[in-house]
Amino acid sequence: MKKKIVMMMAAVLALLLLTGCGSNNVTGSVATDGSTSMEKVIGALGEAFQNDTGIRFTYNPTGSGSGIKAVQEGRCDIGLSSRDLKDEEKSAGLTGTVLAYDGIAIIVNPENPVSDLSVETIAEIYTGEITNWSEVGGNDAEIVLIGREAGSGTRDGFESITDTEDACQYRQELTSTGDVITTVSQNPGAIGYASVASVKDSVKAVTVDGVAPSDAAIRDGSYVVQRPFVLVTRSGEDLSDAAQKFFDYITSADANEIIAAAGVVSAH
């Protein structure tokens, strides 16, 4: 009898080993690449995923354009874009899945008395029609235009919303959200734009047409300067088991609390 029980236990153990001990026994790693604006939310999701599953997660903050190219060329599992995919990118075999919605804050130096700007005024500032803060109720000082580099999802979103594509008269075009915030914080005459989730106390976010960039205003659309955070994958191709598990994890309702804590509004 004892021998029979031992044999049965051995058979059960062998079966568990053959079946991978259930669905949680996924190994490997998942690599993401792209938007610097998504650093806070993707970092929080990646850390939680890694802790829960033991699967290694990596994030390479190169910017939306680079992340889209990386997944297209097979250099990462999932690309990260802070703008919608363009028609030509979809035609090239890419699929975008919206993870969350993020407001783009219009930021000025804390010493700047200006606290509200309309979308129209923001456009006039960035195209060079308005060049002095005194023209919009501020100090008699030159407006210094800070923006992101070409290919940035934040720049693409900002210019699309303000209808200023190829017309902005930037003083500086910087390669990360953090650089924009730092530069504006150090220059009393500067204006810039950055992901709401990344804004720090070192700068001041103005209201736009009287609406502050709050979660509620982003969710209901009343804060108009907003854009999607997009997961980019190759159409018609299966992700690795590890990457698929990560994709399912971060797009599930269970991830909403983590996404909200990162300062953006979940799309799910």
Side-chain angles (χ1 to χ4, degrees), residues 77 94 96-97 129 131 153 191 230 253:
D77 297 300
L94 296 178
T97 302
E129 294 177 57
T131 59
I191 185 172
V230 180

Side-chain angles (χ1 to χ4, degrees), residues 47-246:
E47 182 179 2
F49 173 76
Q50 190 165 270
N51 290 339
D52 286 352
T53 66
I55 297 171
R56 185 167 175 263
F57 163 82
T58 61
Y59 161 62
N60 191 20
T62 59
S64 297
S66 295
I68 291 168
K69 188 175 182 181
V71 73
Q72 190 170 31
E73 296 177 349
R75 292 186 281 110
C76 72
D77 297 300
I78 299 171
L80 307 171
S81 175
S82 50
R83 63 166 173 79
D84 284 319
L85 290 179
K86 299 175 182 177
D87 289 341
E88 55 266 33
E89 291 165 342
K90 295 176 183 177
S91 298
L94 296 178
T95 296
T97 302
V98 178
L99 172 69
Y101 294 95
D102 176 55
I104 300 175
I106 309 303
I107 57 173
V108 297
N109 188 278
E111 295 179 17
N112 193 327
V114 173
S115 59
D116 181 73
L117 295 167
S118 67
V119 172
E120 182 181 0
T121 299
I122 293 167
E124 290 172 346
I125 287 172
Y126 268 89
T127 56
E129 294 177 57
I130 296 174
T131 59
N132 194 292
W133 282 111
S134 62
E135 298 176 66
V136 292
N139 299 323
D140 182 12
E142 178 191 9
I143 300 175
V144 179
L145 303 178
I146 307 300
R148 288 292 304 278
E149 82 287 3
S152 158
T154 310
R155 172 169 167 167
D156 184 88
F158 171 81
E159 292 184 355
S160 296
I161 293 162
T162 57
D163 196 22
T164 56
E165 295 97 330
D166 303 319
C168 291
Q169 305 296 307
Y170 295 112
R171 175 75 62 85
Q172 288 182 272
E173 298 177 41
L174 304 174
T175 58
S176 76
T177 297
D179 287 343
V180 171
I181 292 170
T182 298
T183 301
V184 173
S185 72
Q186 295 173 348
N187 189 332
I191 185 172
Y193 49 80
S195 167
V196 169
S198 301
V199 172
K200 302 174 181 178
D201 292 339
S202 59
V203 294
K204 180 175 73 174
V206 302
T207 56
V208 176
D209 289 313
V211 181
S214 66
D215 286 356
I218 293 167
R219 185 178 292 107
D220 66 23
S222 57
Y223 184 78
V224 297
V225 192
Q226 60 168 283
R227 44 65 190 278
F229 279 171
V230 180
L231 306 174
V232 185
T233 53
R234 291 197 283 184
S235 306
E237 294 188 24
D238 292 336
L239 292 168
S240 68
D241 288 345
Q244 186 63 58
K245 191 173 184 69
F246 176 70

